């Protein structure tokens, strides 16, 4: 009796269940995120990336012939070479103008030796830039930033600051960040040029300035609230309304996505110069030539300079002496009379 009762209960319980063996099981969103974030086996690098890595490893030796070597490179490979040069502390105006391409959408020259001349040259070539990073560029002034903003009309992300001089340059560029309308006189609106109606950073949306002062931040938030300063990225966007682009993530380098497939050892050999204390604390090697004392090196440097400049100084002295003689003959009456008397005596002897 009890066995029959338990069997009937089991049958009724199984009838309630709806078993669907053909139904596909879908993991929950949380499980999908965990599986997506799990460490994956690294993929083998592309052959092109390996070749560019070899070029970047020996970039110091080929930097003088870079224009000839990169002449046939596509724009995306030139951008990779530029990113490697920046990481190896080899990026300057010449390298930048050699590699610049009109199709580039982003430009990261942070911490390099770029000057205003390099920015002016690249702004005329790369007019489609939407993100640029000039942070820690001590040689860039407001003139170079003005040219970039004027030429690159689709600029959305701008990174600046990073040092006392860079912060001063950024403060001087506040008027450039804010778009403004120009007063134009014309007979008809159809004759107006759209590029001359307004000026400034019209499309600028994200400004990354790590150590912005409160006055500058207040000016931007009051006069141009469209520009978001130092955004805090989140999975749902900025305040739930605007999605922060990857270029505006402060902790990610602007050119990180470009060199993802490049071996980091390509630029790992570029070691920053050690400080004076580290060099003095390092014991000298037996194979290294001992350094001369500072006074002796200074004496040799002065002697070398004097030897190098001696021929030039002698030439300048001869030129000054001849110039003084000509001026004396031209301005002095006695010298003129002596010269004319000499010419007359020669003429009489010839007769």
């Amino acid at each position: 009796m009890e066995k029959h009762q338990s069997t009937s209960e089991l049958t009724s319980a199984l009838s309630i269940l709806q078993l669907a063996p053909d139904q596909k099981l879908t993991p929950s969103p949380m499980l999908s995120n965990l599986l997506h974030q799990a460490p994956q086996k690294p993929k083998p690098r592309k052959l092109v990336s390996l070749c560019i890595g070899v070029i970047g490893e020996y970039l110091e030796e080929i930097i003088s012939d870079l224009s000839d070597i990169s002449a046939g490179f596509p724009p995306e490979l030139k951008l990779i070479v530029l990113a490697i040069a920046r990481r190896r502390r080899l990026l300057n105006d010449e390298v930048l103008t050699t590699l610049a391409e009109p199709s580039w959408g982003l430009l990261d020259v942070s911490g390099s030796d770029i000057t205003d001349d390099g920015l002016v040259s690249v702004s005329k070539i790369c007019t489609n830039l939407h993100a640029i990073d000039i942070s820690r560029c001590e040689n860039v002034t407001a003139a170079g930033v003005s040219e970039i903003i004027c030429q690159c009309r689709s600029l959305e992300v701008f990174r600046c600051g990073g040092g006392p001089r860079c912060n001063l340059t950024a403060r001087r560029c506040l008027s450039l960040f804010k778009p403004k309308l120009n007063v134009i006189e014309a007979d008809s609106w159809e004759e107006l040029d759209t590029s001359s109606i307004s000026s400034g950073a019209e499309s600028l949306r994200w400004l990354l300035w790590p150590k912005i002062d409160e006055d500058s931040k207040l000016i931007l938030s009051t006069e141009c609230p469209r520009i978001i300063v130092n955004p805090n990225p989140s999975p749902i966007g900025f305040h739930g309304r605007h999605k922060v682009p990857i270029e505006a993530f402060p902790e990610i380098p602007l050119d990180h996505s470009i060199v993802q497939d490049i071996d980091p050892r390509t630029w790992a050999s570029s070691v920053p110069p050690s400080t004076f204390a580290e060099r003095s604390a390092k014991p000298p090697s037996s194979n290294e030539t001992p350094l001369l004392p500072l006074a002796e090196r200074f004496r040799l440097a002065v002697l070398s300079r004097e030897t190098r400049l001696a021929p030039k100084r002698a030439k300048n002295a001869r030129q000054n002496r001849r110039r003084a003689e000509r001026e004396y003959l031209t301005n002095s009456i006695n010298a003129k009379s002596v010269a004319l008397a000499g010419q007359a005596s020669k003429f009489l002897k010839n007769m």
Side-chain angles (χ1 to χ4, degrees), residues 45-55 77 80 84 258 260-263 266:
R45 304 185 188 279
K46 299 178 182 179
L47 180 59
V48 176
S49 302
L50 295 177
C51 296
I52 294 296
V54 173
I55 294 176
L77 294 188
I80 296 176
I84 296 175
I258 300 171
Q260 275 187 335
D261 199 37
I262 305 298
D263 191 355
T266 302

Side-chain angles (χ1 to χ4, degrees), residues 129 152-157 179 200-206 226:
L129 294 176
C152 304
R153 310 295 292 184
S154 58
L155 188 63
E156 297 180 358
V157 180
E202 302 176 11
S203 58
L204 185 61
R205 184 66 172 170
W206 313 95
R226 180 175 58 87

Side-chain angles (χ1 to χ4, degrees), residues 118-160:
L119 283 183
V120 170
S121 300
V122 79
S123 65
K124 296 178 181 178
I125 302 174
C126 309
T127 57
N128 297 319
L129 294 176
H130 67 271
I132 186 171
D133 188 352
I134 61 168
S135 57
R136 305 188 310 279
C137 291
E138 301 289 341
N139 300 324
V140 173
T141 63
V145 177
S146 174
E147 193 67 22
I148 281 285
I149 292 178
C150 180
Q151 298 292 338
C152 304
R153 310 295 292 184
S154 58
L155 188 63
E156 297 180 358
V157 180
F158 191 82
R159 301 187 180 194
C160 58

Side-chain angles (χ1 to χ4, degrees), residues 2 8-9 27 41 43 66 101 105 136 147 156 162 184 186 234 243 272 323 327 330 337:
E2 293 179 358
S8 60
E9 291 177 357
K41 184 178 179 180
K43 298 180 180 179
L66 188 60
E101 287 289 336
R136 305 188 310 279
E147 193 67 22
E156 297 180 358
I184 302 176
S234 62
K243 184 178 179 181
R323 188 179 298 110
E327 291 179 357
T330 304
S337 60

